[in-house]
Amino acid sequence: MAAPMRDGYAPWLALCRVKGLGCVSFKKLAARFAEPAKIFSASRAELEQVEDLRGEAIQGIIDFRGWAEVDREISRIRAAGITLVTFAEANYPARLRMIADPPPLLYVKGELTHADDRAVAIVGSRSASDYGRRVARDLARGLASLGFTVVSGMARGIDGMAHETALNAGGRTIAVLGSGVERAYPAEHEKLYQRITESGAVVSELPLGTRPIAFNFPARNRLISGLALGVVVVEATEKSGSLITAALAVEQGREVFAVPGEVGASRSRGAHRLIRQGAKLVENVDDILEEIAPQLLTRGRAATAAALALPQNASADACKIFALLQESPRQVDEVIEQSGLAAARVLEILLELELQGYARQLPGKKYTAERTV
Amino acid sequence: MAAPMRDGYAPWLALCRVKGLGCVSFKKLAARFAEPAKIFSASRAELEQVEDLRGEAIQGIIDFRGWAEVDREISRIRAAGITLVTFAEANYPARLRMIADPPPLLYVKGELTHADDRAVAIVGSRSASDYGRRVARDLARGLASLGFTVVSGMARGIDGMAHETALNAGGRTIAVLGSGVERAYPAEHEKLYQRITESGAVVSELPLGTRPIAFNFPARNRLISGLALGVVVVEATEKSGSLITAALAVEQGREVFAVPGEVGASRSRGAHRLIRQGAKLVENVDDILEEIAPQLLTRGRAATAAALALPQNASADACKIFALLQESPRQVDEVIEQSGLAAARVLEILLELELQGYARQLPGKKYTAERTV
């Protein structure tokens, strides 16, 4: 018999423990199975139908027996006041959902809100100069006062300055960790960590207790850019992790901004390289707004729709389709293809959403997410 | 009776004095008449056949009576040790010849050489910071030591630093003035002016005695960019004349480079704007070379050909066609169109150049400038 939790977060946590199952495979798996719980009761033949799913992952799903451990983790998560947000839920960050390898679930200490759809990341050197700190501060303050959530990695230097200034300006901020969210890393940011959990969120895709080893940071960086409309690199040496974040941002189709400095300053070399490669040179918040304005218009509409989340009892299939429509109006065929659901099921849900007033037909057989009642 | 000089420089100097005759009209006039002396003996009907030539200019040519004044100017030019270089001469700067509005003649104090085909302009603020001076110095030294001629406007600040460093590095430098070349402007650059005339050239399109009024500077700036493969803006406020030079460089199809500085430094604001508009961010000479390398390959070939100038007694038509072939190999039709000469005359000259070993036929009925004997 399945424990009650097993139909909730347990299968998600279990999936994260399956060997050989990465985030790209997960996304395909999620597209095939409406409810993750069903993945664990699926036959080998059903699993083999999932595109590119590796034999190791299929075997791992079939052999999975770690439910007791998963239940213990759920207890720990609850005890630590941590929230889980799964890919199927409407409050999973809309922009993060669009990347090629979104995490199946996020551990959240604090709270993610729909306001965070308007987020800009500010990252940079841990050994920042006074100049770098000053520019990071000015940009974070400007963005926060305009209602943008400032995303960063809570590292020393530029990251810490960005979070702190956003909070001081009364804004929201998200720190993405390369370790478990239950603990501040670095430890000297304990007080900052507390403040962020109160007026924003500390987020990670890594299980509680994961140590901050360097290996985890590049994967973490994809979440920093994935959560944001764009990434601002304030200071970066030529080997800085911020350049990885910038490269990931480009892959994800996000804007990349870089702050110039004096020729000869080693901490500006990475930013200058980015600018030569096409990153936009940033002097002030207006330079950022100019570039992300087109996305904001689209996001603005999506955010309005997103604010009208489906009722708690909506099915995962309905959430998935609603999320697709929130991104942009789509034709029925596109919804079928992108949801990975059967055509009949898609038509049924679209009709249901329309009747309930959560979706509306547009000319050209397109559907859009919109509250009409 | 025409004075002997009238068949040499006199008609050029006279053309420069004709009211309503700008450099664009001049270029068309020069394309129509092989010898400028013939312009003054042309009929109104002949002049009216020149595309877009204004009535005022036609009347000005017909009415021209200032030959005595022109002769006096020639005496002054000789007395001051100044050389004239006309558009028809083979040693007229090859790149300047290509712009839409090349001056009919250049007043040169010093000497222009074919080495100046490889020129890069460095311009910037008159009130440069120590940082700006340092970067200008490093770039000018690097370019000069690689054999590039450094072009600038001899102004205080960045310009002066660029000339001086190029000379100190044993390189060549060209100063383009917005006043007559017979005198240093600003006066405090008297010593620099002397050095430039000894290891380079002070150049202007303006008659001797022209005062340095601000009105002349934008036109002067088109010569700075016109002489160069690219323009480097080192420091520039948002209203700097260097931004005009950069804009002209873009129009002329020349590369634009800009040196970044710290956000908030007013002298870097113009450079930052240029970078946002597409100028290449420059940290060192390699960044410049990377961009102009493709042009250098073409220019390299042209420079080799240019070094093999036509004999002194070559006709202006022959010089014109040779210059066209130096720019790039051209088909006979292109030579006819671009030279503005009659087809029979073009064929005659091409044959002559080929027989004399100054041109060579390539596959596809193309001709290239090349010394084959």
Side-chain angles (χ1 to χ4, degrees):
Chain A
M1 275 285 289
M5 205 56 187
R6 201 154 296 168
D7 292 332
Y9 295 111
W12 294 94
L13 289 163
L15 276 178
C16 293
R17 290 164 177 267
V18 170
K19 237 182 128 180
L21 184 62
C23 290
V24 176
S25 312
F26 157 75
K27 201 176 180 182
K28 286 169 183 162
L29 206 53
R32 172 75 58 157
F33 295 92
E35 303 283 352
K38 289 183 182 158
I39 294 170
F40 288 97
S41 55
S43 67
R44 179 183 295 273
E46 282 175 300
L47 292 173
E48 279 169 349
Q49 280 169 28
V50 178
E51 187 194 353
D52 293 334
L53 191 61
R54 289 161 62 188
E56 187 189 10
I58 293 172
Q59 199 59 47
I61 291 168
I62 291 169
D63 292 348
F64 189 77
R65 297 289 178 274
W67 295 107
E69 210 182 321
V70 164
D71 289 344
R72 275 196 301 277
E73 190 175 1
I74 289 174
S75 304
R76 277 209 309 280
I77 290 166
R78 283 183 172 160
I82 287 156
T83 315
L84 292 180
V85 177
T86 71
F87 187 73
E89 287 172 283
N91 63 334
Y92 187 94
R95 295 197 69 79
L96 191 59
R97 191 189 292 282
M98 297 180 207
I99 72 173
D101 48 0
L105 57 80
L106 291 171
Y107 295 77
V108 179
K109 178 91 180 177
E111 198 188 2
L112 292 174
T113 77
H114 286 300
D116 301 329
D117 286 343
R118 282 164 49 102
V120 173
I122 298 178
V123 297
S125 181
R126 286 193 296 278
S127 65
S129 70
D130 287 346
Y131 164 67
R133 284 170 192 275
R134 174 165 59 79
V135 179
R137 190 193 61 208
D138 292 349
L139 293 175
R141 185 192 292 138
L143 287 167
S145 65
L146 288 168
F148 286 92
T149 297
V150 173
V151 181
S152 196
M154 216 173 86
R156 291 182 195 92
I158 299 298
D159 288 20
M161 178 58 87
H163 290 302
E164 199 175 318
T165 313
L167 291 169
N168 290 349
R172 289 185 51 80
T173 190
I174 299 175
V176 186
L177 303 191
S179 52
V181 291
E182 81 283 7
R183 193 177 301 171
Y185 178 81
E188 67 195 76
H189 277 168
E190 172 61 32
K191 205 180 140 192
L192 177 61
Y193 168 90
Q194 289 298 340
R195 290 184 67 194
I196 296 172
T197 60
E198 285 156 19
S199 308
V202 176
V203 168
S204 175
E205 65 178 318
L206 299 166
L208 296 197
T210 305
R211 314 281 304 166
I213 52 170
F215 176 81
N216 291 330
F217 291 141
R220 181 274 305 263
N221 292 352
R222 90 183 193 286
L223 303 191
I224 292 179
S225 52
L227 283 163
L229 292 150
V231 175
V232 186
V233 176
V234 176
E235 280 192 319
T237 57
E238 285 191 285
K239 296 189 172 180
S240 168
S242 302
L243 300 188
I244 296 176
T245 312
L248 293 164
V250 170
E251 273 180 35
Q252 295 167 351
R254 309 297 156 90
E255 302 296 336
V256 179
F257 304 93
V259 174
E262 292 195 343
V263 168
S266 63
R267 294 192 195 88
S268 287
R269 211 160 280 164
H272 290 163
R273 202 172 80 191
L274 287 175
I275 293 169
R276 273 197 297 271
Q277 291 170 346
K280 183 168 181 189
L281 183 149
V282 166
E283 289 184 296
N284 53 46
V285 171
D286 287 347
D287 297 327
I288 299 173
L289 290 185
E290 202 173 83
E291 213 67 22
I292 63 178
Q295 293 181 65
L296 276 181
L297 294 176
T298 324
R299 296 301 314 151
R301 283 201 295 276
T304 314
L308 308 158
L310 293 187
Q312 291 279 351
N313 63 357
S315 70
D317 288 356
C319 287
K320 189 185 293 174
I321 290 176
F322 188 61
L324 282 171
L325 300 183
Q326 280 178 319
E327 285 177 21
S328 70
R330 282 175 159 84
Q331 290 192 312
V332 176
D333 287 352
E334 293 174 315
V335 176
I336 293 168
E337 193 191 319
Q338 290 161 12
S339 69
L341 297 170
R345 177 83 179 121
V346 169
L347 291 171
E348 178 194 339
I349 291 171
L350 283 174
L351 181 63
E352 202 177 318
L353 289 174
E354 204 179 354
L355 291 174
Q356 293 171 348
Y358 289 101
R360 188 164 64 89
Q361 269 204 60
L362 299 175
K365 296 248 172 199
K366 282 193 172 181
Y367 281 83
T368 182
E370 193 175 300
R371 179 106 206 193
T372 55
V373 292
Chain B
M1 275 286 289
M5 204 59 185
R6 199 153 298 166
D7 292 332
Y9 295 110
W12 294 95
L13 289 162
L15 277 178
C16 293
R17 290 165 176 268
V18 171
K19 236 182 129 183
L21 183 62
C23 291
V24 176
S25 312
F26 156 76
K27 201 177 179 181
K28 285 169 182 160
L29 206 53
R32 171 77 57 159
F33 295 91
E35 303 283 350
K38 291 183 181 157
I39 294 170
F40 289 96
S41 55
S43 67
R44 180 183 295 273
E46 282 175 299
L47 291 172
E48 279 172 348
Q49 279 169 30
V50 178
E51 187 194 351
D52 294 332
L53 191 62
R54 290 161 61 188
E56 187 188 8
I58 293 172
Q59 200 59 48
I61 291 168
I62 291 168
D63 292 347
F64 190 77
R65 297 290 177 273
W67 296 107
E69 208 182 322
V70 163
D71 289 343
R72 275 196 301 279
E73 190 174 1
I74 288 174
S75 305
R76 278 210 308 280
I77 289 166
R78 282 183 174 160
I82 286 156
T83 315
L84 291 180
V85 178
T86 71
F87 188 73
E89 288 172 283
N91 63 334
Y92 188 93
R95 295 197 70 79
L96 191 59
R97 191 189 293 282
M98 297 179 208
I99 73 172
D101 48 359
L105 57 80
L106 291 171
Y107 296 76
V108 179
K109 178 91 180 175
E111 197 189 1
L112 291 173
T113 77
H114 286 301
D116 302 330
D117 286 344
R118 282 164 49 102
V120 173
I122 298 178
V123 297
S125 181
R126 285 194 296 277
S127 66
S129 70
D130 289 344
Y131 164 68
R133 285 171 191 273
R134 174 164 59 80
V135 178
R137 190 193 60 208
D138 292 348
L139 293 176
R141 184 191 292 140
L143 287 167
S145 64
L146 287 168
F148 286 91
T149 297
V150 173
V151 182
S152 196
M154 217 174 84
R156 291 183 196 91
I158 299 298
D159 287 21
M161 178 58 89
H163 291 301
E164 200 176 317
T165 313
L167 292 169
N168 291 348
R172 286 186 54 79
T173 190
I174 299 175
V176 186
L177 302 191
S179 53
V181 292
E182 80 284 6
R183 193 177 300 170
Y185 179 80
E188 67 193 77
H189 277 169
E190 173 60 32
K191 206 181 140 192
L192 177 61
Y193 168 89
Q194 289 299 340
R195 290 185 67 196
I196 295 173
T197 60
E198 286 156 19
S199 309
V202 176
V203 169
S204 175
E205 64 178 318
L206 299 167
L208 297 196
T210 306
R211 313 280 306 165
I213 55 169
F215 175 81
N216 291 329
F217 292 140
R220 181 273 306 261
N221 292 352
R222 90 185 193 286
L223 303 190
I224 293 180
S225 52
L227 284 164
L229 291 151
V231 175
V232 185
V233 177
V234 176
E235 279 193 319
T237 57
E238 284 190 287
K239 296 188 173 180
S240 169
S242 302
L243 300 189
I244 296 175
T245 312
L248 293 165
V250 170
E251 272 179 34
Q252 295 168 350
R254 309 297 155 91
E255 303 295 336
V256 179
F257 304 93
V259 173
E262 290 193 345
V263 168
S266 63
R267 295 192 194 87
S268 288
R269 211 161 280 162
H272 289 163
R273 201 173 81 191
L274 288 175
I275 293 170
R276 273 197 297 271
Q277 290 169 346
K280 184 170 179 189
L281 183 150
V282 166
E283 289 183 296
N284 52 46
V285 171
D286 287 346
D287 297 327
I288 299 172
L289 291 185
E290 202 173 83
E291 214 68 21
I292 63 179
Q295 293 182 66
L296 276 182
L297 294 176
T298 324
R299 295 299 316 147
R301 282 199 297 275
T304 314
L308 308 158
L310 294 186
Q312 291 279 352
N313 63 358
S315 70
D317 288 356
C319 286
K320 191 186 292 176
I321 290 176
F322 189 61
L324 282 171
L325 300 184
Q326 280 178 318
E327 284 177 21
S328 70
R330 281 175 161 81
Q331 290 193 312
V332 176
D333 287 352
E334 291 173 317
V335 176
I336 293 168
E337 193 191 319
Q338 289 161 13
S339 69
L341 296 170
R345 178 84 179 121
V346 168
L347 290 172
E348 177 194 338
I349 291 172
L350 282 175
L351 182 61
E352 201 177 318
L353 289 175
E354 203 179 354
L355 291 173
Q356 293 170 348
Y358 289 100
R360 188 164 63 89
Q361 269 204 61
L362 299 176
K365 298 245 172 201
K366 281 194 171 179
Y367 281 82
T368 182
E370 193 174 300
R371 178 106 205 192
T372 55
V373 291

